[in-house]
């Protein structure tokens, strides 16, 4: 028995041409990185980690790196117009530029993906300083979004060469219990979901672990389709949404209109205690979508036994869903910029490794109430 298991493991290893160790960091292009970094520290509980800018030899940008447990955000702003960063912000507003993935070999990751059809964004580069070496490479994905491959096992510094340690001993907000990136969702255009599913299958060796059609995800007014792509080891999950025909404009269409194209819709942040985390985030000003309290009337009939008391979940508006392995608790923030584009999900998994479909309707009806208030439904 053990021999067979081992043999299968070996075969799996042979076929995993792009072994990913998880998300290394998420980089946002923003209009004002100094203030964005302050928002993620004060509202979300990140800690200051590293900085790069004119003082460290970068003439075209400033980047602030903040961290909470295994979660790292890089907030980057251009110092001049007429470059990719400035054009990105002009077109999309603040948004995610790079979903960076940790690898053991960034050169191999670039070769394996570009040889399978990925468009190169950055050839492998070796960055060195007194703390060691980071190798970085990258490919394009949907819209103007990119995946960077980060190899950092030979680096001991704060973040990577070019950055210096950064922090203010007088400003260290407590963390909110956010642990790591659970998944990142992309919104793509009409009829583009399947081509991007094929991209993740062919170019990155991902598998489609779950599909929702417009019957699964629809309200009275709007609909969307979604397919969940996962790396072989499950450490990286990228659901992809596409709008579907409905009576009114769907939330994906609203996103595509205001983001001016395809891009990251939400980043899901994991916690091991969602009630404490959400309470802390709310007290610091993070705004969440509200479901009607009737959502809780038949919740336990839908999801079965849960360990948590219902009262705090109802008070905070936390949603519960189930897959065939367990359940999960989740809550969605309102967009974190003025365009109705990027938002965050807070998620706690209790056995469930993928997603349920029970929450979609409640969530979308909550989003539609917001869309209606914006005049975009
Ligand atoms: Fe999500």
């Amino acid at each position: 028995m053990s021999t067979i298991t081992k043999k299968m493991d070996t075969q799996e290893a042979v076929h995993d041409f792009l072994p990913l160790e998880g998300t290394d960091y998420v980089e946002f292009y923003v209009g004002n990185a100094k203030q964005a970094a302050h928002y993620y520290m004060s509202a979300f509980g990140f800690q200051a980690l590293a900085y790069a800018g004119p003082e460290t030899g970068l003439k075209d940008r400033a980047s602030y790196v903040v961290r909470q447990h295994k979660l790292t955000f890089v907030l980057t702003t251009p110092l001049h117009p007429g470059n990719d960063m400035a054009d990105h912000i002009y077109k999309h507003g603040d948004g995610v530029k790079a979903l960076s993935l940790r690898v053991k070999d960034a050169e191999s990751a670039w070769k394996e993906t570009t040889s399978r059809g990925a468009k190169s964004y950055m050839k492998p580069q070796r960055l060195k300083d007194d703390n060691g070496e980071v190798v970085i490479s990258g490919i394009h994905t949907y819209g103007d979004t990119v995946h960077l491959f980060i190899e950092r096992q030979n680096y001991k510094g704060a973040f990577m060469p070019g950055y210096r340690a950064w922090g203010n001993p007088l400003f260290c907000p407590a963390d909110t219990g956010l642990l790591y990136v659970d998944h990142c969702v992309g919104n793509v255009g009409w009829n583009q979901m399947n081509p991007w599913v094929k991209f993740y299958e062919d170019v990155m060796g991902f598998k489609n672990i779950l599909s929702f059609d417009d019957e699964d995800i629809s309200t009275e007014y709007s609909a969307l389709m979604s397919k969940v792509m996962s790396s072989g080891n499950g450490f990286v999950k990228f659901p992809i949404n596409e709008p579907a025909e409905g009576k009114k404009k769907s939330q994906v269409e609203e996103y595509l209109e205001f983001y001016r194209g395809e891009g990251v819709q939400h980043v899901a942040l994991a916690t091991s205690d969602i009630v404490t985390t959400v309470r802390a985030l709310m007290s610091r000003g993070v705004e969440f979508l509200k479901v009607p309290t009737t959502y809780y009337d038949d919740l336990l009939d839908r999801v079965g036994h849960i360990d948590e008391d219902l009262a705090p979940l109802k008070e905070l508006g936390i949603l519960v869903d189930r897959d065939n392995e367990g359940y999960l608790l989740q809550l969605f923030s309102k967009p974190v910029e003025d365009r109705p584009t990027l938002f965050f999900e807070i998620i706690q998994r209790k056995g469930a490794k993928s997603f349920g479909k029970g929450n979609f309707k409640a969530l979308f009806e909550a989003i539609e109430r917001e869309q209606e208030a914006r005049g975009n439904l």
Side-chain angles (χ1 to χ4, degrees), residues 39-47 67-69 71 173-179 269-286 288 346:
Y39 172 72
Y40 286 106
M41 290 191 286
S42 59
F44 281 80
F46 283 77
Q47 313 299 316
R67 177 168 290 168
Q68 184 165 183
H69 299 284
L71 198 51
D175 77 58
T176 59
L178 296 172
L179 301 174
L269 312 174
T271 171
S272 59
D273 180 356
I274 196 166
V275 170
T276 303
T277 294
V278 167
R279 225 184 263 292
L281 293 168
M282 280 182 180
S283 74
R284 296 171 187 215
V286 179
F288 291 93
I346 310 300

Side-chain angles (χ1 to χ4, degrees), residues 183 185 239 266 268 330 332 345 355:
H183 61 276
V185 180
H266 72 266
Q330 59 188 165
F332 299 86
E345 171 183 343
F355 304 91

Side-chain angles (χ1 to χ4, degrees), residues 88-99:
H88 197 277
I89 295 164
Y90 180 75
K91 182 176 179 188
H92 303 298
D94 287 5
V96 171
K97 176 63 185 179
L99 297 173

Side-chain angles (χ1 to χ4, degrees), residues 12-144:
E12 277 294 309
V14 168
H15 287 116
D16 194 357
F17 59 84
L18 184 64
L20 299 175
E21 302 184 336
T23 303
D24 193 274
Y25 65 88
V26 180
E27 182 168 15
F28 304 76
Y29 280 177
V30 298
N32 188 331
K34 181 180 273 194
Q35 290 188 8
H38 189 84
Y39 172 72
Y40 286 106
M41 290 191 286
S42 59
F44 281 80
F46 283 77
Q47 313 299 316
L49 180 73
Y51 167 82
E55 300 86 345
T56 68
L58 276 182
K59 298 298 178 205
D60 63 341
R61 72 188 72 188
S63 290
Y64 295 78
V65 186
V66 297
R67 177 168 290 168
Q68 184 165 183
H69 299 284
K70 288 182 176 171
L71 198 51
T72 306
F73 285 178
V74 178
L75 292 318
T76 293
T77 204
L79 300 177
H80 309 284
N83 53 64
D84 284 352
M85 293 174 283
D87 293 349
H88 197 277
I89 295 164
Y90 180 75
K91 182 176 179 188
H92 303 298
D94 287 5
V96 171
K97 176 63 185 179
L99 297 173
S100 302
L101 306 168
R102 179 88 54 92
V103 295
K104 277 262 156 37
D105 185 340
E107 190 163 343
S108 158
W110 183 84
K111 282 185 181 157
E112 294 289 348
T113 50
T114 52
S115 71
R116 287 172 169 81
K119 188 177 155 202
S120 173
Y121 173 70
M122 186 189 292
K123 285 184 179 173
Q125 290 184 22
R126 288 179 187 276
L127 311 173
K128 291 181 185 177
D129 68 11
D130 294 345
N131 290 304
E133 178 186 79
V134 170
V135 188
I136 179 168
S137 63
I139 58 170
H140 289 268
T141 179
Y142 49 79
D144 289 326

Side-chain angles (χ1 to χ4, degrees), residues 50 66 79 148 155 219 280 316 369 372:
V66 297
L79 300 177
L148 300 180
Y155 193 68
T219 67
L316 300 169
R369 285 191 290 278
E372 193 164 27

